[in-house]
Every structure is written in C-alpha cells, then in structure tokens.
Amino acid sequence: MAARTIKTSPIAGMKPGTSGLRKKVAEFAGPHYLANFVQSVFDAVRPVAGFGGCTLVLGGDGRYYNLQAAQLVIQMAAAQGFARVMVGQGGILSTPAASCVIRRHQTFGGLILSASHNEGGVNGDFGIKFNGANGGPAAENVTDAIYARTLTLTEYKVCDSPDIDLDRLGVQQADGMVVEVFDPVADYLELMRSLFDFDALRALFRSGFRLAFDAMHAVTGPYARAIFEGELGAPAGTVRNGTPLPDFGAHHPDPNLVHAKALYDLMMSPQAPDLGAASDGDGDRNLIVGRGLFVSPSDSLALLAANAHLVPAYRSGIVGVARSMPTSGAADRVAQALGVPCFETPTGWKYFGNLLDAGRVTLCGEESAGTGSDHVREKDGIWAVLMWLNILAVRGTSVQAVVQQHWATYGRNYYTRHDYEAIDSDAAKALMADLAGRLGGLKGQALAGQAVTLADDFSYTDPVDGSVSSHQGLRIGFADGSRIVYRLSGTGTSGATLRVYIERYEADPARHALDTQQALAELIAAAGQLARIGHHTGRQRPDVVT
Ligand code: VG1
Ligand code: CO
C-alpha cells in the first residue's frame, strides 16, 4: 500500500500558543485541518536522514476527537516512514507520562493530543503539541518553524491502512510501520516507584490518612487509581471522577477553586479528609488543599523546594529552582536560604527545558498549578501529590501545620490571579498597548501608597542557549517586593483572556492568617485603575479568581 499525497493549502491561525495548538473541535475536525498541522510538525522536525529508525510516542487526554486524531496521526506517521509509533492503550497518555515514555524508550519525540485544562466535548476544544527527544515541549524556535511551515504547506501524506485497534495491547502494523499499543500507566508508575518512599506512603494510608483525589473525568483517573488505590492501598473511592470521558462529564477540567469546587467545599467542611488534590485534563497540573486551607501553587512550589530533601529522589538536595515570571517570589526565598539559584522564566513549561537539561535546576513551577522536577520534562500533577504525601508522611503532621511553619520561617507571599475571560481581542491588545506605553513614566511614581521600583515588559534571555523571548508580560514592582503583572493568555480559544497577577510579601507572623483578597485589596484596586481594565474591557470584575 503506498502513501497517498493529498493536495491542500495553508490554513491561517495555526500558531502554537503557550502549550501547543488549541482550537474548537469544529475547527480541528474541519477539512485538512489536523493533517495540515501534523504534516507541518513532521516537516519542521524531520531529521536529515528522514524518519526511518525513529519512534513516535502518541496519546492524549481522552477528550472528544482524541481517537479519530490518533488514527490519523498513525496513518500520517506511516506515510512519513517512521519505524514505529508507540500509542497509549485507548489513545490515553497523560502529558507527564508521555514525557516519561519518550525519555525511557529513547524515542524521537511525541505528539500529545490535548487542550489540557480547556473544556472538552463536541463543542469544546481540542489540541495537539509536539515534544522532542528530551521529553519536553518543543522550544520556541521549533514552534516558530512549525508555524512557518503551516503557511507554505501545499500537500500532506497519509496511508490508507485499516484503523488500529487501540484497545488491544501489543504490536500491530500500519502499512509496514510497527504500531505498539502499550499500557499508559506502567512506565510512569515505575518511575514514581523510583522517586518516592512507597513503603512510607503505604504505612501512611494504613494509619488512616485520608486523601480525596479528583481526576475531573480526565486523564489522571487510571494513573491515580493504579497508584493511590492500587499500589499505596488508599481505600476505594479515594479517586473521584476517575473515568476519562470525552466531555469530562460536562465540566471544565481545570483544577482551580471554581472548577474543582466540589473538592474545595469538601476540604472546607467538617468531613474534610487530610489532603485534597486534583489534576487537569492532561494530568500536568495539581491542586493541593489541606483541611480548611487552600495551598497556592506558588506556595506549593516553595514548600516542595524547602522539603524536597525528605523525599528519596531529592535526598541530596536540589541544585536550583525555576519559576515562571508571574509565579510569586516565595520560591526565591527558599532558594536563597538553600544557597541555590532561582531562575525567572516566561510562562509555559517549554522555557524550563534548557535549565533542566543543563542540570541547573531540579524543581520548576508555575502559579497556574504546575509543578515538576527533573524526573521528566513536563509539569506533573500526580508527582506533586506524591511529593506532598511523602513530605507529610515523613513530617507526620498536617498540611496546615506544614504551611504555617513555612510562613513563620520564610514569611508569606500573599498571591492572587484575576482572569478576565473571553474579552474582545482588540480591546485586550489596546489595554496592553496603552499600559506598555505608560510604563516608562511609572518608575518612582507612587501607586497603592508605595513607590514603583520596576516597570517593564518582561524579556527573557535563556541562560543556556542565549535565545531571547520578549513581550512576556508587563511587570510593575514595588519597594517592598509587591508586584502586579499583566499578560494575555496563550491557551484560550475564544477572544482574549487577560490575566492579572498580584502579590505582596508579609513578614509578620501575626498577619499570616488574613483573607488573601483582603490582604491584597489595595494592590487589586490599583491594578484595575492602572491598566484601566473597566474602560478597555467593560468588565467590572474578573471571571475567575484564584
Ligand atoms: C496557561 C498557564 C501557564 C501554563 C499553560 C499550559 O497559559 O498560565 O502557566 O503553562 O496554561 O498549561 P496561558 O498562556 O493561558 O496563561 V496546561 O496544563 O493548559 O498545558
Ligand atoms: Co495541562
């Protein structure tokens, strides 16, 4: 059977965002759309010698269109001359597990079918991202090359062999190419076993410790069941919403206080278990809630850094930490105390790759509920929960006690993010341009009762390869370390989303139990006035507050 060449023409708007290409299902399922993008990826990353001998890892978060897309990618990989495609059973593979499999099997790279935290279903979003041989998201120069290719593409290649049975484990063929359907949990579980003290975790659950893990009907269900309930002996029912569904049960698989509200309410109730946790569509994010206490992701990163030495894999200490620019400075304080560097990168996991590959950092994190380490090249939701469990098991105390002690030692970085979703794109651009134009005059001015010490448009120079990424968000810094950051989301699919990130440092332990929004009220008001959010967007308040 020969590969067929299909004539096509470039489709506009295929620029990958913060994490891959995301569009409405209707757009992805339209004529040539997915095929154009996949061919552009292949063209952009093709080795000089071609794909012969190369293995491609494939899988997704189970959302609507996952299976059809997987079949098409297999047919196209066969037409490109790949030696082998390794695909997760049922088309399932979490983002961190994909990273793990790419690395362990020393493959060429992988395609992950996911729009992550975006909603699913036939009217929801679909997405696709390419990860290279290090297991990490394609760097900006690669996504730029992919995008450039989408603008010149005139044909793609595809085979016509019968569909692969994605439920049947083992080896099948697609036009002479080996297709190996594998258990998406096995390698990942093996890796987790090597990092954590599973005996201590078993003892923790035997002692009556209770975990509530909300998989949000997304990809982590099978992983969480196998690990928490299977390996570690947590009681059945520990994992909630554990079956991946194409529409995520009509919920938004975003583990924040709005979309994981049921879990949050449970954790605030008298029946609260010891730890509440959740992950997102593709399994790379984590939500951590103690009994009566939400742990902000920025704090979680700092806490993991401060306690990592209690976990077997990090026993000899961490070499450095990296956080995305809008993430609070809590981790910086821990890094300073440990005497290790803390890097500030643009938003998106792809910017951590070089630092991890070069061995300059061990832990990375983002305020958007992503934390990870050098064990893979993606953020990792279940890993973060295991880190917390392992730390709690060793310290033998509650989430609340761990957090409060941390604040007493390092001070507290009050932190919030306000999202204005689906606003008019032109209005969003005008707001950013208006503010950017006024940044120059801000330094030295008084705002929210304080002097502005920094006002710039964040630009990052990668310390490993020297590449420069500019326009990564507008930063306003104050004398006491407080900050206001503005940026536009690069993952949304309707209009624009404005994210406003606000933080203030509080050293005084007597003031560590304030309500976050109240503690930040003055800065929040100043942030709205400074950027003239109401004027530009017509919105009086944010849609999501985390
Ligand atoms: C958001 C988050 C960012 C994260 C990205 C992908 O991007 O802010 O921190 O890396 O989502 O996460 P943006 O551009 O919308 O702010 V995931 O779990 O959706 O792959
Ligand atoms: Co995700």
Side-chain angles (χ1 to χ4, degrees):
M1 221 178 306
R4 282 193 298 138
T5 299
I6 312 278
K7 294 277 168 231
T8 187
S9 44
I11 300 175
M14 288 192 171
K15 192 171 174 57
T18 312
S19 173
L21 180 68
R22 297 183 194 184
K23 298 285 175 192
K24 293 276 166 225
V25 164
E27 196 166 349
F28 253 111
H32 307 304
Y33 197 93
L34 178 62
N36 267 23
F37 188 74
V38 171
Q39 186 66 54
S40 299
V41 172
F42 289 155
D43 290 351
V45 303
R46 180 182 293 105
V48 184
F51 290 113
C54 292
T55 295
L56 183 74
V57 174
L58 175 65
D61 62 12
R63 68 179 58 227
Y64 187 86
Y65 204 56
N66 189 117
L67 292 172
Q68 296 95 310
Q71 297 289 358
L72 179 64
V73 169
I74 291 169
Q75 303 292 351
M76 291 185 67
Q80 289 299 315
F82 270 92
R84 182 169 67 141
V85 167
M86 288 179 67
V87 54
Q89 187 179 28
I92 291 289
L93 195 56
S94 80
T95 288
S99 187
C100 163
V101 170
I102 291 169
R103 293 167 68 78
R104 294 195 119 198
H105 295 267
Q106 297 178 348
T107 64
F108 175 78
L111 283 169
I112 302 171
L113 308 172
S114 171
S116 187
H117 61 282
N118 296 22
E119 64 198 317
V122 62
N123 297 316
D125 292 346
F126 186 75
I128 179 166
K129 51 188 174 178
F130 175 74
N131 285 28
N134 75 342
E140 210 175 57
N141 63 331
V142 177
T143 55
D144 285 350
I146 294 169
Y147 177 56
R149 184 61 182 138
T150 66
L151 300 175
T152 60
L153 195 78
T154 54
E155 57 183 45
Y156 60 85
K157 286 196 168 67
V158 62
C159 285
D160 281 327
S161 61
D163 273 1
I164 295 297
D165 180 353
L166 293 174
D167 292 326
R168 181 155 59 85
L169 287 173
V171 168
Q172 300 168 52
Q173 302 274 331
D175 201 31
M177 179 186 76
V178 171
V179 180
E180 186 182 329
V181 179
F182 67 97
D183 172 359
V185 177
D187 283 300
Y188 182 80
L189 168 60
E190 199 53 48
L191 178 59
M192 294 301 119
R193 267 198 204 114
S194 74
L195 302 175
F196 299 101
D197 185 349
F198 271 25
D199 286 336
L201 298 190
R202 280 185 203 106
L204 181 71
F205 283 114
R206 260 200 315 275
S207 75
F209 183 97
R210 287 189 305 143
L211 163 72
F213 181 89
D214 189 345
M216 305 191 87
H217 291 300
V219 81
T220 48
Y223 296 86
R225 279 202 182 122
I227 295 173
F228 301 131
E229 297 181 7
E231 282 283 312
L232 302 177
T238 295
V239 177
R240 292 141 193 258
N241 304 319
T243 304
L245 298 175
D247 68 346
F248 305 119
H251 293 294
H252 217 111
D254 193 347
N256 61 27
L257 304 185
V258 174
H259 298 298
K261 190 168 184 310
L263 179 79
Y264 180 73
D265 289 346
L266 170 70
M267 294 310 297
M268 298 301 133
S269 78
Q271 293 78 39
D274 299 285
L275 177 65
S279 191
D280 69 331
D282 61 334
D284 54 2
R285 296 188 181 201
N286 69 88
L287 172 72
I288 299 290
V289 202
R291 205 180 282 140
L293 179 77
F294 159 66
V295 184
S296 86
S298 294
D299 274 351
S300 183
L301 172 65
L303 270 143
L304 295 187
N307 292 279
H309 62 281
L310 303 176
V311 177
Y314 313 100
R315 190 154 281 154
S316 54
I318 56 176
V319 298
V321 183
R323 61 163 174 84
S324 67
M325 183 272 281
T327 303
S328 95
D332 305 42
R333 293 176 185 274
V334 175
Q336 199 180 12
L338 293 174
V340 300
C342 182
F343 296 88
E344 184 176 45
T345 60
T347 295
W349 211 262
K350 57 176 170 256
Y351 296 104
F352 294 134
N354 279 345
L355 292 167
L356 289 163
D357 285 349
R360 296 179 66 166
V361 297
T362 308
L363 298 183
C364 305
E366 295 193 277
E367 54 66 41
S368 54
T371 337
S373 87
D374 56 2
H375 69 289
V376 288
R377 292 294 179 274
E378 285 280 3
K379 52 192 190 266
D380 189 342
I382 289 196
W383 168 89
V385 180
L386 289 167
M387 283 293 281
W388 268 93
L389 287 171
N390 205 147
I391 290 164
L392 293 172
V394 174
R395 295 192 46 173
T397 179
S398 69
V399 172
Q400 196 147 24
V402 169
V403 172
Q404 279 163 355
Q405 271 181 34
H406 186 91
W407 291 337
T409 309
Y410 297 96
R412 177 170 182 186
N413 290 67
Y414 280 101
Y415 187 84
T416 192
R417 184 176 101 186
H418 288 198
D419 294 332
Y420 298 80
E421 295 181 335
I423 56 180
D424 179 75
S425 295
D426 291 335
K429 279 186 205 136
L431 180 150
M432 294 297 279
D434 172 19
L435 180 58
R438 286 181 283 129
L439 285 181
L442 272 178
K443 207 168 152 185
Q445 299 282 310
L447 194 67
Q450 280 200 67
V452 172
T453 52
L454 167 92
D456 73 354
D457 184 343
F458 180 56
S459 173
Y460 176 67
T461 303
D462 186 298
V464 179
D465 68 12
S467 59
V468 176
S469 305
S470 35
H471 304 303
Q472 297 296 327
L474 305 180
R475 309 190 280 186
I476 318 289
F478 297 86
D480 72 344
S482 296
R483 289 195 313 165
I484 303 172
V485 172
Y486 304 84
R487 59 178 284 282
L488 298 182
S489 157
T491 57
T493 58
S494 20
T497 292
L498 170 68
R499 303 202 196 284
V500 185
Y501 311 81
I502 296 152
E503 82 171 290
R504 179 169 79 77
Y505 179 68
E506 176 62 69
D508 180 3
R511 298 180 52 80
H512 284 170
L514 305 178
D515 170 78
T516 298
Q517 300 304 312
Q518 275 164 18
L520 296 171
E522 219 181 334
L523 283 165
I524 291 170
Q529 283 155 17
L530 179 64
R532 306 203 294 153
I533 295 176
H535 163 80
H536 283 292
T537 68
R539 303 284 177 86
Q540 295 317 312
R541 54 189 59 80
D543 301 279
V544 179
V545 172
T546 40

